[in-house]
Amino acid sequence: MFNLSAASSAATSATIVPFNASQPPQSTTSLLHHKRTPPTSSSSSSSSIVCVHLHSPSYLHSNFSPIKAMPLSQTLSTAPSHQPHSPAPGNKQVLISLSDKKDLGILGTGLQELGYTIVSTGGTATALEKAGVSVTKVEQLTSFPEMLDGRVKTLHPNIHGGILARRDQKHHMEALNEHGIGTFDIVVVNLYPFYDTVTSAGGIDFENGIENIDIGGPAMIRAAAKNHKDVLVVVDSEDYPALLEYLKGNQDDQQFRRKLAWKAFQHVASYDSAVSEWLWKQTVGDKFPPSLTVPLSLKSSLRYGENPHQKAAFYVDKSLAEVNAGGIATAIQHHGKEMSYNNYLDADAAWNCVSEFTNPTCVVVKHTNPCGVASRDDILEAYRLAVKADPVSAFGGIVAFNIEVDEVLAKEIREYRSPTDGETRMFYEIVVAPSYTKKGLEILRGKSKTLRIIEAKKNESGKLSLRQVGGGWLAQDSDDLTPQDIQFNVVTGKTPQESELRDVEFAWLCVKHVKSNAIVIAKNNCMLGMGSGQPNRLESLRIALRKAGDEVKGAALASDAFFPFAWKDAVEEACESGVGVIAEPGGSIRDGDAIDCCNKYGVSLVFTNVRHFRH
């Protein structure tokens, strides 16, 4: 028995395209609202949310008297008699509330030129004033100062009444008129930077995280999005140009309004999912909560799916757990044709496999299965051996490396001829590596205009793995176990030699990435043959033996699951082929047959007690 030491194991978004301009709503108010940076925020890059409201600058310096709590016996008439400013009829008003003030000056200037008044507080007001835009304090609409360390600023009937009132409902408009409330035609809001704050490198304490949860912002966004027939809502600075163009026209494009409303609800949903994910980890922390939301952001529309008749797109997982966690989804493409649906699947399989190895390694993948794997101190030799394992399958495949691709390696990739005829230059769809030298990248670009050159970061361990089935999703821990995490228990009379142990560890790491039923034959840190995806293990074995050829003598064989039969079946055929050691999980009711068979042929058998199914 030998023991190996343990090792450490939003939402979719889219840019709104300018539509034909349409008629701005009839009654208007513009309000640039409150400070959008939470009082205890550790982020210095965001400060205030804006509500734009068209008002006279003379209202910028209103004074407020302290308001005391009243006994219930007192009537409302005893309350301080602050009279909210009521906008003049026909004024166009905008409510803007921004943490991220990108292009705020452009927006404010554009709105002001179109006749909108801007009302704001805090850092947003300052930014607008610096841009030469006139602003009015939001307090002058509410006749109430912000309170509770800024937690309550815009949560007021004078704000939400102006957003939610339906212009086509007479009693709505009469109610606004009775209380001196103006309507808002536009609401421009983005939220506290909760996502960036809780994923910052320095981390964040619980109380600071709580203070970064936006309340007023989502309330205004949802209110405006619900009433989008009358109120335009914008949550993304990329939509400012489209908004201004729309306002310059005389049409009423409801599709434009609906798309903005959809984006607003999606923005809030993504935000809420981040808060929910973070808070769950602060409480129970179990990986499988009773309810799960996965925010996805559209990265690209694909030419088609697995087949040309299937439409497809690629989304990036914006869950907090995926921040800086590596993987193909966040990889950089330096060159080549756009990635396809199948390219992403194959690149992911190749990258996940090669990243498991600590020594310089090359992995070649075809249809998500590694058809060639080799580890060597000399990465050029590793590359040649990986291709040699199955050059027919390697042609048109994906090549992955776990070390930087330099000038020398790039030349070898570009010029290497197929071992089948020594003449045909090898063709690949994708090359994946953690980095490239400047010269190496230049050389690879010269190999083909279509060759996709991908730079990726290693996937972190401990991720949640999701897989869709009809009407639902399966969730599980990622399979992060490596040979260093498990015990290889010798169960036969013959003990493997040191070199055989190294071979069986290498084979075991390879077989983990092969589709079940999976068999891998390896020697000297090089895959000699593999059989994958067969309904029975015997057929997978025969495929692997055929690929390994005469090199099978003394090699190691790994099976991703136990052998259900031994005599006149896979175990005996493997022994007769000349393999030196077999690794399997064990656990069959016929394990004794497998042990007896290996003892008969003088083959070492080790049980791992770990299965690596891959469907």
Side-chain angles (χ1 to χ4, degrees):
M1 176 188 237
F2 62 102
N3 205 348
L4 297 179
S5 61
S8 61
S9 59
T12 55
S13 63
T15 301
I16 301 299
V17 180
F19 290 80
N20 291 332
S22 71
Q23 175 76 33
Q26 298 264 327
S27 58
T28 38
T29 304
S30 166
L31 193 170
L32 243 170
H33 112 277
H34 61 270
K35 178 181 175 189
R36 297 298 305 154
T37 299
T40 57
S41 173
S42 61
S43 172
S44 60
S45 62
S46 59
S47 58
S48 57
I49 292 191
V50 190
C51 288
V52 183
H53 183 98
L54 287 176
H55 281 219
S56 167
S58 63
Y59 292 97
L60 284 172
H61 305 290
S62 295
N63 295 320
F64 296 91
S65 302
I67 299 175
K68 298 180 180 179
M70 293 179 290
L72 290 176
S73 60
Q74 295 187 19
T75 64
L76 291 176
S77 62
T78 62
S81 58
H82 296 297
Q83 294 299 320
H85 171 70
S86 180
N91 272 6
K92 296 189 295 185
Q93 301 188 113
V94 184
L95 174 59
I96 307 179
S97 177
L98 304 173
S99 281
D100 180 0
K101 290 179 282 297
K102 179 184 176 184
D103 293 335
L104 174 58
I106 297 173
L107 175 66
T109 300
L111 289 171
Q112 186 169 262
E113 290 175 350
L114 290 169
Y116 290 88
T117 300
I118 299 176
V119 178
S120 178
T121 64
T124 302
T126 301
L128 284 166
E129 290 171 340
K130 287 182 178 179
V133 179
S134 298
V135 296
T136 301
K137 297 288 185 180
V138 67
E139 292 92 331
Q140 295 185 235
L141 293 183
T142 64
S143 292
F144 207 92
E146 69 176 55
M147 61 184 295
L148 306 181
D149 297 323
R151 287 189 172 199
V152 178
K153 308 167 195 174
T154 56
L155 297 171
H156 192 282
N158 283 8
I159 302 299
H160 284 270
I163 299 174
L164 285 165
R166 291 181 56 180
R167 313 313 195 252
D168 60 353
Q169 295 293 318
K170 182 179 179 181
H171 65 286
H172 280 206
M173 303 310 294
E174 288 175 345
L176 293 189
N177 186 57
E178 178 183 352
H179 295 285
I181 300 174
T183 56
F184 294 103
D185 299 292
I186 307 168
V187 171
V188 184
V189 177
N190 57 46
L191 307 175
Y192 291 168
F194 180 85
Y195 188 94
D196 294 335
T197 300
V198 298
T199 58
S200 59
I204 187 173
D205 60 53
F206 181 77
E207 291 301 323
N208 199 7
I210 291 295
E211 288 306 315
N212 272 274
I213 299 175
D214 203 326
I215 301 301
M220 290 185 291
I221 291 172
R222 290 174 62 85
K226 177 176 181 176
N227 201 27
H228 65 270
K229 181 180 178 181
D230 297 313
V231 183
L232 289 159
V233 57
V234 179
V235 295
D236 186 353
S237 61
E238 296 295 321
D239 295 326
Y240 293 170
L243 171 67
L244 294 174
E245 286 299 315
Y246 177 86
L247 295 175
K248 292 175 183 177
N250 294 313
Q251 299 181 35
D252 186 15
D253 189 342
Q254 286 298 314
Q255 287 301 313
F256 179 74
R257 291 174 173 272
R258 289 175 186 176
K259 285 190 176 182
L260 289 178
W262 161 80
K263 194 170 187 179
F265 278 118
Q266 192 66 60
H267 180 67
V268 175
S270 179
Y271 188 88
D272 286 343
S273 73
V275 174
S276 175
E277 180 185 354
W278 176 79
L279 196 55
W280 175 257
K281 291 181 179 178
Q282 306 301 314
T283 52
V284 180
D286 186 89
K287 186 168 284 188
F288 306 105
S291 179
L292 180 64
T293 301
V294 180
L296 302 176
S297 179
L298 181 67
K299 182 173 183 178
S300 62
S301 295
L302 306 179
R303 286 174 294 153
Y304 51 80
E306 280 189 285
N307 302 291
H309 65 275
Q310 295 172 273
K311 294 182 178 180
F314 183 58
Y315 291 83
V316 175
D317 189 339
K318 303 298 289 186
S319 301
L320 298 179
E322 289 292 335
V323 175
N324 298 320
I328 286 298
T330 56
I332 300 169
Q333 182 171 351
H334 291 289
H335 178 73
K337 196 174 181 179
E338 65 184 41
M339 293 281 283
S340 71
Y341 185 98
N342 293 327
N343 287 155
Y344 276 114
L345 292 175
D346 289 337
D348 184 62
W351 182 242
N352 290 340
C353 182
V354 79
S355 296
E356 295 253 50
F357 294 85
T358 55
N359 296 324
T361 301
C362 174
V363 171
V364 183
V365 160
K366 194 68 167 290
H367 295 303
T368 72
N369 278 301
C371 56
V373 183
S375 296
R376 288 290 188 275
D377 291 335
D378 181 0
I379 192 62
L380 297 182
E381 183 182 2
Y383 166 62
R384 298 183 194 113
L385 289 171
V387 175
K388 183 182 177 183
D390 188 349
V392 175
S393 297
F395 194 87
I398 286 78
V399 182
F401 301 91
N402 62 353
I403 66 170
E404 184 175 68
V405 175
D406 60 12
E407 177 181 357
V408 177
L409 178 55
K411 286 181 178 179
E412 186 69 9
I413 297 170
R414 186 183 67 182
E415 301 298 335
Y416 188 64
R417 265 46 178 182
S418 172
T420 56
D421 61 12
E423 296 180 0
T424 304
R425 183 178 294 177
M426 290 299 296
F427 163 75
Y428 305 114
E429 291 277 352
I430 304 170
V431 176
V432 190
S435 61
Y436 299 83
T437 65
K438 183 177 180 180
K439 190 65 177 177
L441 195 57
E442 178 184 332
I443 292 171
L444 278 183
R445 283 172 172 158
K447 180 175 175 61
S448 167
K449 292 181 179 179
T450 62
L451 176 65
R452 301 161 182 87
I453 304 174
I454 306 297
E455 179 179 327
K457 178 184 174 184
K458 181 181 178 180
N459 254 325
E460 288 188 358
S461 60
K463 286 189 175 184
L464 182 66
S465 175
L466 296 172
R467 190 167 182 179
Q468 190 174 17
V469 296
W473 293 82
L474 292 167
Q476 66 173 353
D477 289 322
S478 56
D479 186 358
D480 297 325
L481 291 181
T482 67
Q484 287 68 42
D485 303 316
I486 62 178
Q487 291 184 343
F488 289 73
N489 303 308
V490 181
V491 294
T492 50
K494 182 184 177 184
T495 300
Q497 299 177 6
E498 188 64 30
S499 60
E500 290 178 318
L501 294 180
R502 289 195 298 269
D503 287 342
V504 83
E505 289 174 14
F506 182 89
W508 189 254
L509 191 52
C510 290
V511 81
K512 166 184 172 179
H513 293 274
V514 177
K515 293 294 178 65
S516 301
N517 287 305
I519 298 290
V520 166
I521 299 172
K523 185 193 293 185
N524 297 329
N525 291 327
C526 177
M527 178 190 286
L528 303 177
M530 72 88 179
S532 65
Q534 299 304 305
N536 69 76
R537 200 157 298 278
L538 179 58
E539 286 303 316
S540 289
L541 170 73
R542 289 170 175 170
I543 293 171
L545 289 174
R546 185 172 69 252
K547 291 182 178 180
D550 294 337
E551 294 183 271
V552 72
K553 307 299 181 182
L557 182 150
S559 173
D560 66 334
F562 65 66
F563 291 101
F565 301 99
W567 302 108
K568 296 182 179 179
D569 205 275
V571 176
E572 188 167 24
E573 285 196 20
C575 291
E576 290 174 340
S577 72
V579 298
V581 57
I582 297 173
E584 57 144 311
S588 168
I589 60 174
R590 298 183 180 84
D591 278 349
D593 289 347
I595 294 170
D596 292 342
C597 184
C598 287
N599 280 330
K600 174 185 175 181
Y601 287 92
V603 173
S604 299
L605 177 63
V606 297
F607 286 169
T608 64
N609 297 314
V610 172
R611 190 181 71 185
H612 280 309
F613 266 165
R614 180 174 292 267
H615 288 83

